[in-house]
Amino acid sequence: MAENENTNGASPDAAAQAAQNAGPAAAVLAQYVKDLSFENPNAAQTFQTLSGENSPKPNIEVNVNVGARRMGEEAFEVDLKITATSRLDEDVAFAVELVYSGLFGARNLPEDMIEAFLLIQAPHILFPFARRIVADSVRDGGFAPLMLDPIDFAGLYQQQKQAAAQQQPQASGADALGTIDLGEPQGNA
């Protein structure tokens, strides 16, 4: 009995061709920290203020942006940028900025679905990892961990699409939560 017998009678080339013609598929190829910055510019003053009996409650501002670009025929890089700044009155207690990225493979996705996949599903996959990095960075800076609330990327995407449609009837290239460049693949210069 042959060990490498193909039970369905198809050649390896035919199997590869069948995989190419299969339905839509997407996968995470890699995830990585692209940029991380934590600043604690007034540490001594901030910790003195926070340790007082009537210490003020910090005001924390969080911003999230998503950007995507084509890296190859079936490869896309998605950047999830999170910035958080904590203020005590007018003074900055801490500022953290993270760009957490993922390389995603997408095969046989219809063109009208690629943008939604890259700006909804991809950041949804990246967010829990980015959230942990932000929390750990803030904790390592001497503060209580900053636990970001979950983000409804689909809802934000729809809001941005509606706002863009009201502002400009024609497509502009700056859609959804950030920017998306689905043009030519990025070259290695």
Side-chain angles (χ1 to χ4, degrees):
M1 185 178 274
E3 289 182 30
N4 293 330
E5 184 177 316
N6 192 339
T7 58
N8 64 6
S11 70
D13 290 336
Q17 183 65 30
Q20 287 282 358
N21 293 332
V28 178
L29 305 175
Q31 291 181 210
Y32 42 93
V33 173
K34 196 178 224 183
D35 185 27
L36 175 61
S37 170
F38 181 84
E39 298 175 23
N40 193 351
N42 304 306
Q45 178 184 344
T46 299
F47 292 127
Q48 269 187 326
T49 302
L50 290 175
S51 66
E53 287 181 27
N54 295 323
S55 63
K57 183 176 171 132
N59 179 26
I60 300 175
E61 179 181 323
V62 177
N63 292 302
V64 177
N65 191 17
V66 178
R69 73 194 128 283
R70 185 181 294 273
M71 300 302 289
E73 188 175 325
E74 296 178 342
F76 303 88
E77 183 181 50
V78 176
D79 295 334
L80 177 59
K81 181 178 181 181
I82 299 172
T83 57
T85 304
S86 175
R87 296 184 188 280
L88 291 170
D89 297 324
E90 297 299 317
D91 296 326
V92 173
F94 69 80
V96 62
E97 180 177 314
L98 170 67
V99 179
Y100 191 73
S101 301
L103 186 62
F104 292 84
R107 178 177 293 142
N108 299 331
L109 276 181
E111 285 297 319
D112 62 336
M113 293 183 69
I114 291 175
E115 180 180 279
F117 170 74
L118 295 175
L119 296 176
I120 298 172
Q121 193 60 34
H124 180 76
I125 292 168
L126 298 173
F127 181 75
F129 301 96
R131 180 181 190 232
R132 183 194 52 81
I133 293 167
V134 168
D136 289 351
S137 297
V138 172
R139 184 204 60 226
D140 292 347
F143 298 91
L146 176 59
M147 299 305 294
L148 299 173
D149 290 333
I151 297 173
D152 178 10
F153 290 103
L156 292 174
Y157 176 77
Q158 292 302 323
Q159 287 176 2
Q160 292 293 334
K161 291 297 270 184
Q162 290 172 357
Q166 291 174 357
Q167 290 178 2
Q168 293 182 347
Q170 68 274 15
S172 68
D175 294 330
L177 303 174
T179 59
I180 187 163
D181 178 6
L182 299 179
E184 294 299 313
Q186 302 292 313
N188 294 335

